[in-house]
Amino acid sequence: MSRIPTAAGRDPSGARGVLSVLAWNSSGAIVGTVLQLCYTAYTARLVPPGAYGAYAVSSTLMTLLGPLAFLGLGTYLLRAERLTRQTVRSAWKVSAATGVLCCAAVQGVTPLCVAAWHLPTAGPLLRLAGLQFLVQPAAAVAVAALRRLGHGRFSALTELLGGVCGTVTAAALLALGWNPYALAVSSALSAVYTLALSAPRLARAAAEDGPPVPFRSMLGLSSAFAGYSLIQLLTLSAPIWAVTRALGATAAGQLSRASLTCALPGDMLFHSLHRAVTPTLARRNGDGLPLGPAVRDVLSAASALSFIAFGALAGVGPAALRLLLGPGWETACALVPVLAVGAAFSMLYSVCCVVDEVRKVMHRLLRIQLAVTSMTVATAVAAATARDLTLTATAVAVGTGVGHLLQLRSWQRDGLCRPRALLRPYLVHAAVGTALCASGLAGASLSKTPVAATCCSVLGMVPVALFCLALRRRMPLYMLAARRGLVSP
């Protein structure tokens, strides 16, 4: 089967091609994350915890309607074994229709949500945030199609510029006094800019001609992706809903700020890895090649990104968040280590979900996700009823940890990957992450001022980092890179 040519005329399916795409995606995501952190620091000093809690709870409705608006079209395009002009046109039309319907749905259910949450200030925030659905699905289709056609660098730059312009515009509106309502239009503004930048390039991008693509054939698999994503997002929304009902909007604001601290790097790492490996896994699956070796390598790398990165975040996060947010957010700072553990397990679980999506085992994905949802909701409700915010923050870690064990068990039955092959990478990377966390927290305890505590936390992790550098040739991640020819053995 012929391959879709890339912008550079090379096949991106090899390890170096994946690394190049990952580098561009990661670079853009890092810059975007830094900008988002600056925006967070800015808004934390303008928007009080109670108002931010109302915004955070309102955002959960946008998150839940997202899968219905996007209908899994981005995933559908990324994993398409053959992407044609007709496929892109059909995706455009579907995204326009679903976006309008979801925008109308937000306006209709706003009074019900306000009454359920007992938050009158959430009404205007919901109505404004709903406008994002008029442009976000179309922007996602354009970027996903370009990325699948090999325009990875342009896609990364487009998303970065769109996010920068949207965030800067929202910050300007806050400065002009549109507080907190400017928070609700940031996503819509970013989507407008992204669509304006990507649509002309997509119109000129090289793609194969093919037969017409009926909406029904596209919606079948895409709807399965959307339904699965909806259940995932219900799981993530459960803790903040439970906290809002039991502890109020201020506690929800604290939990949301802490969650954002872990979600920003988590999204950056996961989406970069997802966009780099999904097309490669899809090609291997389409060509009938075994997925087992590639899956083991992907999970080994994902365990390093998860445990090491979030271990470092758990160590430096509390002190850094105090510096970032300023006074009034001490509860959020204390929640960071707990949420970092949940983010690490969520990363591994989500990467495994990508593999099962490529394999098209949607029924199994759904069953495991229902188990994750049940565990998360039960933990969140029990903890919030006991009025324990810290225990509520562990709900995601409990749910996704159980889900990942179920995934590995199902893969063992299929003969795809034996858990024993992943035991050493998991244990080694988890040990490094734990050491980074402990040394960072110990360093932060030496000072009470946010700046000094942050510096001491980073310095406390330096001995662990140097020790790992000295033994890098024994690290599973380094051994994987050497085996793939990405570093010298």
Side-chain angles (χ1 to χ4, degrees), residues 184-261:
V185 299
S186 177
S187 296
L189 292 170
S190 296
V192 169
Y193 291 123
T194 300
L195 182 60
L197 292 169
S198 60
R201 180 65 171 263
L202 181 59
R204 300 190 302 270
E208 296 179 349
D209 281 317
V213 180
F215 293 158
R216 182 177 300 177
S217 65
M218 177 175 289
L219 290 176
L221 185 58
S222 293
S223 297
F225 284 128
Y228 168 70
S229 298
L230 180 61
I231 298 174
Q232 272 191 317
L233 294 171
L234 279 169
T235 305
L236 296 176
S237 300
I240 195 169
W241 285 354
V243 167
T244 303
R245 290 289 298 178
L247 302 175
T250 299
Q254 298 281 358
L255 177 60
S256 180
R257 283 294 192 191
S259 299
L260 181 63
T261 304

Side-chain angles (χ1 to χ4, degrees), residues 303-360:
S303 69
L305 292 174
S306 302
F307 294 128
I308 296 177
F310 287 108
L313 179 63
V316 74
L321 197 60
R322 284 174 56 202
L323 178 62
L324 182 71
L325 300 181
W329 298 96
E330 290 76 15
T331 301
C333 299
L335 294 174
V336 171
V338 177
L339 292 169
V341 175
F345 282 112
S346 295
M347 175 84 166
L348 287 173
Y349 173 76
S350 298
V351 170
C352 290
C353 290
V354 171
V355 175
D356 282 341
E357 286 173 3
V358 171
R359 298 173 65 216
K360 303 177 185 177

